[in-house]
Amino acid sequence: MWVVNIIFLLFLAPCLLFVLRFILYRTALIFVLRKWANWVDDRIHVHQYLKVAELNENGQDNQFYHKVFIYINSLPSLEDSNFTNLFSGKKSTDIILSLDDNQVIQDEFLGARVSWVNKVERLVNGGGCNRSFLLRIKKKDKRRILRPYLQHIHTVSDDIEQRRRELKLFINNKPSENPINGRWRSVPFTHPATLDTIAMDVDLKNKVKSDLENFIKSQNYYHKLGRAWKRNYLLYGPSGTGKSSFIGAMANYLNYDVYDIDLSRVSDLKLLLLQTTSKSLIVIEDVDRLINEKLTTTTTSVLLNFMDGIVNSCCGDEKIMVFTMNSKELIDPVMLRPGRIDVHIHFPLCDFNSFKCLANSYLGVKEHKLFPQVEEIFHSGATMSPAAIGELMMVNRSSPSRALKSVITALQSNGADAKIVGKGKRLSDNASSSPLPLPPQAEEIDGGNWKDSVPVAKEFRKLFLRLKSCKSPSLFDHDSEMIER
Ligand SMILES: Nc1ncnc2c1ncn2[C@@H]1O[C@H](COP(=O)(O)OP(=O)(O)OP(=O)(O)O)[C@@H](O)[C@H]1O
Ligand SMILES: [Mg+2]
């Protein structure tokens, strides 16, 4: 009989626990219980209070108050506090939560529970109020967590501010304008490109994303190595393949300002670079053309010093420099050596995968009965720049079938033109002169994914070997890489 009782109890106990849990969570009694538990916990510990006032003793703004404000209002536990204010944000759909006056909010850090009070003391005569945040921390936890916790608040609020701030595009002034307007003038940066809207190999895109993410987290690593915290990218490929759009996408992804340097307007590049701020993308476009036409030896050497991080290290770090060019062929390999260019990204003409990505963004079409025909034409060697294909799709966007047919016609006539022109021409020669760029030479026609393309893979290997031969064994192994698609 007792065996039956035990089995019955074993069965009953989990059922009761389940029902109890259900009631607690459904009726929000769990919050009451937690409150009691915290109350008991508070009675048996000694606490210390730290006040962060809005104004310092001279009546000036206390920057740390501002940081605490941002931090507290970003805590998930804000939703559990008794009173929370709701405000609309910058965008009409944004809703911002903010802790109400004299409300308490709980936080946890390194396993310790702390709480903040948003204290507001009304002044008796003459209105106004004193605002402060009061941190309550257990004495036993103070020594262990206080410093890292305050540092954590700094880091989190800086990060939030960085994400919220309005990006700027800086353009360098003509030397004659410098004394009046300074070296840079800025406008809001509103480029709509994102990494999602750029048609490129998915693996490559993910590689670039993780490279950027690693970079922004690596301040200590760079400083430990005694290197400037900077990373240099080279984007190369024919005209209209998305290099400039990719720069916009990088800036939006990182939330960095953009400094677009027009070298034809520069009289003192070093001073110009010294006036760039950290968390910025410094862009020099069409380097191959500039090197051949305009760059003086002084400008080139300043540029190389900047790439090496010598000038850079004097003007705040966390910078990414981006160079674009149509082809690397005419560039001195010294300029492209590891450490100067850390990441090479090839932007090829369109292949079928990029075409599908464009069809999805421009026409909202994932599959279509004309796709097999398009695929066949791509496989036969015809190609165009994503810019040209995008343009055809855009003007015919009201009818996806018409848009695809016009792309097919353009690809076919482009392919025919290519046969007449022959294989000898270089990609970059064709790209800039023709509105619908001619296909690349035969061995690059399958380009797009270097893994699938023997000639591009060969080029990759060749470049890789060249870079490897310049490497010092350990350091560059980690830091320089080639990314191609
Ligand atoms: N890979 C791509 N994905 C999405 N859109 C693209 C892509 N390539 C080009 N485009 C579209 O084509 C237009 C021109 O692209 P972009 O200016 O970025 O090309 P580019 O490589 O910088 O050309 P250039 O070498 O002539 O400066 C942009 O409007 C962009 O939206
Ligand atoms: Mg461009």
Side-chain angles (χ1 to χ4, degrees), residues 238-239 241 347-351 354 383-386 427 437-440 447-448 485:
S239 185
T241 48
F347 286 75
L349 292 173
C350 212
D351 64 2
S354 313
T383 186
M384 280 159 59
S385 69
L427 245 177
L438 297 172
R485 64 171 185 159

Side-chain angles (χ1 to χ4, degrees), residues 191 197-200 237-246 285-286 324-326 347-348 354 357-358 361-362 385-388 390-391 432 485:
H191 201 298
T197 61
I198 302 287
M200 72 193 291
S239 185
T241 48
K243 300 179 295 295
S244 303
S245 312
F246 193 76
E285 294 238 49
D286 300 322
T324 71
M325 55 181 73
N326 286 139
F347 286 75
S354 313
C357 185
L358 292 172
S361 347
Y362 282 79
S385 69
E391 206 58 38
S432 47
R485 64 171 185 159

Side-chain angles (χ1 to χ4, degrees), residues 142-154:
K142 191 188 126 192
R143 193 174 287 273
R144 182 172 64 91
I145 70 153
L146 187 60
R147 272 186 184 282
Y149 183 57
L150 297 180
Q151 192 54 47
H152 169 71
I153 293 174
H154 258 289

Side-chain angles (χ1 to χ4, degrees), residues 411-462:
L411 278 169
Q412 279 167 338
S413 68
N414 219 22
D417 285 353
K419 278 179 195 138
I420 298 165
V421 172
K423 298 176 182 178
K425 264 196 153 200
R426 271 214 338 271
L427 245 177
S428 47
D429 295 340
N430 296 332
S432 47
S433 53
S434 162
L436 298 180
L438 297 172
Q441 43 184 296
E443 60 266 30
E444 284 199 19
I445 270 171
D446 291 336
N449 189 345
W450 60 266
K451 286 176 221 147
D452 302 330
S453 151
V454 177
V456 179
K458 256 193 215 156
E459 191 200 347
F460 172 74
R461 240 191 341 264
K462 215 166 67 194

Side-chain angles (χ1 to χ4, degrees), residues 167-175 177-178 181-190 257-266 269 272-273 275-276 280-283:
L167 299 187
K168 285 190 181 142
L169 168 66
F170 291 87
I171 304 159
N172 53 309
N173 283 323
K174 280 187 193 146
E177 294 168 349
N178 283 346
N181 301 323
R183 289 178 199 280
W184 293 102
R185 93 180 93 126
S186 72
V187 289
F189 179 77
T190 51
D257 290 327
V258 176
Y259 286 85
D260 189 359
I261 302 185
D262 179 350
L263 283 178
S264 66
R265 294 169 141 225
V266 174
L269 182 63
L272 196 66
L273 292 170
Q275 286 180 4
T276 57
S280 58
L281 279 183
I282 297 167
V283 178

Side-chain angles (χ1 to χ4, degrees), residues 231-234 236 307 328 331-345 457-484:
R231 196 139 177 91
N232 297 342
Y233 278 70
L234 171 68
Y236 69 100
M307 291 163 95
K328 297 197 280 190
I331 306 294
D332 185 346
V334 169
M335 196 166 175
L336 306 180
R337 74 149 167 76
R340 289 213 170 116
I341 297 291
D342 304 296
V343 183
H344 298 230
I345 307 179
K458 256 193 215 156
E459 191 200 347
F460 172 74
R461 240 191 341 264
K462 215 166 67 194
L463 285 161
F464 180 70
L465 287 173
R466 198 159 76 201
L467 290 171
K468 223 173 154 191
S469 67
C470 313
K471 278 182 185 180
S472 75
S474 54
L475 194 61
F476 290 138
D477 273 351
H478 172 83
D479 207 34
S480 66
E481 57 185 283
M482 303 280 292
I483 301 179
E484 303 237 350

